[in-house]
């Protein structure tokens, strides 16, 4: 948030409530000219589409900035059972890279250039399935992750 502006004013001058939103969409074309003839992929070309969005809120008070965010992510792509094969943990029994979920984050900024965060990533779907996605009994929710972060900028 340091140096960011809202309506041409530094955030410090915009009041106690700060709301931001972000979104991104990335399309990736994959050409397997070398891998396909060797049998490493089932398709001579593939694609991935990634979409992410988040909504952030901060409240400025005498204790610092307190807030957090909620986000959604989704990756979809062409099924390729050789590229996305069924192996434990990061494999796909369906041959699909399709994944989605939510990111929840709580933030505290006690002073400028310091942030303390707690983030939880929730997977609804991972590599093409909600349950038994890798063919070895692992569910998408088994990849849910809790992060603790202390960010210092100098």
């Amino acid at each position: 948030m340091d140096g960011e502006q809202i309506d041409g004013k530094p955030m410090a001058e915009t009041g106690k409530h700060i709301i931001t939103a972000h979104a991104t969409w990335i399309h990736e074309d994959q050409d397997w000219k070398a891998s396909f003839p060797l049998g490493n992929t089932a398709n001579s070309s593939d694609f991935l589409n990634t979409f992410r969005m988040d909504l952030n809120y901060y409240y400025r008070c005498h204790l610092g900035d307190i807030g957090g965010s909620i986000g959604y992510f989704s990756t979809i792509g062409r099924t390729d059972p050789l590229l996305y094969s069924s192996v434990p943990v990061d494999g796909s029994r369906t041959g699909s890279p399709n994944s989605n979920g939510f990111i929840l984050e709580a933030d505290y900024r006690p002073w400028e250039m310091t942030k303390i965060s707690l983030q939880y990533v929730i997977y609804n779907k991972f590599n093409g399935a909600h349950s038994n996605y890798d063919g070895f009994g692992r569910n998408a929710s088994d990849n849910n992750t809790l992060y603790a972060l202390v960010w210092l900028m100098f």
Side-chain angles (χ1 to χ4, degrees), residues 39-42 79-97 127 133-136:
N40 295 330
T41 65
T79 299
D80 190 322
L82 294 178
L83 184 60
Y84 309 109
S85 61
S86 182
V87 295
V89 182
D90 64 351
S92 172
R93 86 177 145 75
T94 64
S96 171
N127 285 354
Y133 72 83
D134 63 355
F136 293 87

Side-chain angles (χ1 to χ4, degrees), residues 65-140:
D65 297 345
I66 300 168
S69 64
I70 183 168
Y72 173 77
F73 63 91
S74 173
T75 299
I76 61 169
R78 187 171 177 195
T79 299
D80 190 322
L82 294 178
L83 184 60
Y84 309 109
S85 61
S86 182
V87 295
V89 182
D90 64 351
S92 172
R93 86 177 145 75
T94 64
S96 171
N98 296 357
S99 301
N100 65 51
F102 296 92
I103 301 173
L104 307 173
E105 183 173 307
D107 299 320
Y108 174 54
R109 288 191 37 188
W111 51 85
E112 291 286 327
M113 315 232 309
T114 302
K115 181 167 100 172
I116 301 166
S117 295
L118 196 59
Q119 183 184 83
Y120 191 60
V121 180
I122 303 165
Y123 284 91
N124 181 53
K125 181 187 275 189
F126 191 81
N127 285 354
H130 176 75
S131 60
N132 192 25
Y133 72 83
D134 63 355
F136 293 87
R138 194 165 167 87
N139 298 323

